[in-house]
Amino acid sequence: MLAKRIIPCLDVKNGRNVRGVKFSADRDAGDPVELATRYDRERADELVFYDITASADGRAIVMDLVTEVSERVFIPLTVGGGIRTFDDIRQILKGGADKVSINSAAVHDPEIINQGAESFGSQCIVGAIDALRCPDAPADAPSWQIYINGGRTATGIDAVEWVQELVDRGAGELVLNSIDADGTREGYDIELNRAVAERTEVPIVASGGCGSDEHIYEVLTDGKASAALAASIFHFGDYAIPDVKRFLKERDVLVRE
């Protein structure tokens, strides 16, 4: 059995780490380089860096900041935001990232997943999904729709079906973010994560809604996620990563020391 992973997330806007509710990104949460250094010191399993307005602004990711973060950490680094072309993937990996997270670009041009996986290996290509629960779906058969451009644009694409296409095209991992839960600190969307995890064998990184170590435990067990992404609970000092790992270990969840 593979160890479950705890992954802090940096949502970067205008050079600062920010947090909000349901993609509002209206609260300053610190300097991304300083936070990255702290998470490396706390032995996070990985780190995710998202330039959250790059796609919506139609600009490239802030590579100088990505490179600065990559030079400070020795844990695996996933980078996303503003990726539109195969060359963008190459530049981000060249700049120090271990994985590239692709969201909007995959919807516009799904072949980018194939190209990235064929050139750099599936382990470097992460399919990122921003999903919103469909309000008219029956309670016993929930469904979710894919949104792009930082959660701003509906696509009409079913999330679970899209997951299968991303994996078939070569994505080696999926970051599954619930727009409904994002920033609420009321818990992950367990049904969403479980539905996707039961559809595919690639690792699922749960994202959106974490407010406690109990929420992490729930999504790694009931939600069947391989990893838990969290932001606010770590950024503002409510929890430290070693404490969360100890909590999980005491409940028989396999984690890296």
Side-chain angles (χ1 to χ4, degrees):
M1 181 184 296
L2 294 176
K4 302 289 189 177
R5 291 170 289 151
I6 306 301
I7 306 175
C9 179
L10 304 176
D11 292 311
V12 179
K13 178 181 180 182
N14 299 325
R16 296 290 293 177
N17 190 54
V18 294
R19 290 304 299 155
V21 178
K22 299 183 180 180
F23 287 36
S24 62
D26 56 1
R27 183 182 181 189
D28 188 280
D31 177 79
V33 178
E34 292 179 1
L35 286 168
T37 303
R38 190 224 298 176
Y39 296 139
D40 184 77
R41 185 171 62 248
E42 290 186 1
R43 300 295 178 89
D45 294 301
E46 299 183 20
L47 179 67
V48 168
F49 177 113
Y50 284 135
D51 186 336
I52 61 171
T53 58
S55 291
D57 293 346
R59 60 172 172 80
I61 198 168
V62 183
M63 277 306 304
D64 289 347
L65 190 54
V66 170
T67 300
E68 188 174 1
V69 168
S70 73
E71 291 173 346
R72 296 289 190 96
V73 302
F74 298 92
I75 54 178
L77 174 65
T78 299
V79 174
I83 297 164
R84 290 183 293 276
T85 67
F86 172 78
D87 189 59
D88 292 334
I89 297 174
R90 184 179 62 81
Q91 289 295 334
I92 289 172
L93 294 174
K94 185 178 179 181
D98 299 280
K99 306 177 189 178
V100 176
S101 180
I102 306 171
N103 189 332
S104 301
V107 173
H108 293 308
D109 179 17
E111 280 294 320
I112 195 172
I113 300 293
N114 302 69
Q115 294 167 351
E118 291 167 2
S119 298
F120 304 110
S122 290
Q123 76 282 354
C124 293
I125 305 301
V126 178
I129 297 163
D130 292 327
L132 185 71
R133 187 179 286 256
C134 299
D136 55 349
D140 60 346
S143 60
W144 299 263
Q145 180 184 177
I146 295 296
Y147 276 65
I148 58 174
N149 296 330
R152 296 169 177 83
T153 306
T155 65
I157 300 172
D158 179 83
V160 179
E161 295 296 328
W162 180 236
V163 159
Q164 191 60 58
E165 180 167 354
L166 289 172
V167 173
D168 289 345
R169 288 181 176 276
E173 184 171 82
L174 301 168
V175 173
L176 188 58
N177 187 52
S178 166
I179 297 175
D180 302 279
D182 182 76
T184 65
R185 302 183 64 152
E186 295 176 355
Y188 299 91
D189 188 329
I190 301 299
E191 288 183 309
L192 171 61
N193 282 277
R194 185 166 54 233
V196 171
E198 290 175 348
R199 183 66 177 260
T200 179
E201 295 183 358
V202 305
I204 304 298
V205 181
S207 174
C210 183
S212 70
D213 48 10
E214 185 67 35
H215 291 156
I216 293 176
Y217 173 76
E218 289 171 355
V219 81
L220 295 178
T221 53
D222 294 345
K224 299 185 178 182
S226 304
L229 195 90
S232 298
I233 67 165
F234 297 137
H235 298 337
F236 300 118
D238 299 326
Y239 293 85
I241 290 167
D243 295 334
V244 172
K245 288 192 174 187
R246 187 159 45 247
F247 174 87
L248 295 171
K249 187 176 180 181
E250 290 171 353
R251 285 153 184 78
D252 298 322
V253 176
L254 181 61
V255 294
R256 296 187 180 99
E257 297 292 341

